[in-house]
Amino acid sequence: MTTLSVSLPTSIRLAQVLGIMTSAFLSGGVLCVSYGFIPSLSMAPNTLLVRQWKTAYGRGAAAAPVLSIVCTFSYVYLSYNLAFTLNQHKAEVYALAALVTGSIVPYTLIVMKNINGTLNRKVQESKHLDRTEEYDESKAREGERSQELLQRWKVLNFGRGLLPFTGACLGIYATFYMTS
């Protein structure tokens, strides 16, 4: 493991810290939802399940894009500032970290669009019910029941969480393990 050089400007150090920390934080938050929150949520009645999912999704939708922007731009800044130096390879790794981490937004908008839409429709269908009442899912198609949707969403969300995790690993590698 190489030691950090004291000759790097503060802006580079700050970008390294922001990139690694925010991508690791974002990844941890997303992955905790898949394997911490969703299994607990699965024990709730369908009406409450979809409403709680909507609340958690709303909080994530407010925080994740901001964190994604911060870490992506941190890695872009690092890549740009190292691109025309002797650290070309390090710049490429930071660029890859930016690409992978920033791809969480299109992944969410493209890959998860249908399942998010279906779960949001379930929320709308349950609005008129008390949270302890169940809505009838007996006529729901295979794969369209709340529990099934939630399990599929959990897997897709896990894949989503691996994107900033990979970005954090690349940022750590470029910062601490690549020689200047």
Side-chain angles (χ1 to χ4, degrees), residues 45-113:
N46 291 335
T47 305
L48 185 58
L49 178 149
V50 295
R51 290 178 185 173
Q52 288 179 331
W53 170 84
K54 178 67 174 178
T55 300
Y57 178 81
R59 288 183 178 152
V66 173
L67 292 170
S68 177
I69 288 168
V70 169
C71 53
T72 298
F73 281 112
S74 295
Y75 291 137
V76 167
Y77 177 83
L78 290 166
S79 179
Y80 178 79
N81 280 283
L82 296 174
F84 304 106
T85 68
L86 296 175
N87 291 317
Q88 178 65 37
H89 187 61
K90 195 181 264 196
E92 292 168 354
V93 174
Y94 281 129
L96 184 58
L99 179 69
V100 170
T101 304
S103 66
I104 192 171
V105 174
Y107 180 95
T108 305
L109 296 174
I110 296 167
V111 174
M112 298 183 76
K113 179 183 178 181

Side-chain angles (χ1 to χ4, degrees), residues 32-51:
C32 276
V33 169
S34 280
Y35 286 97
F37 178 67
I38 297 299
S40 301
L41 188 59
S42 298
M43 295 184 277
N46 291 335
T47 305
L48 185 58
L49 178 149
V50 295
R51 290 178 185 173

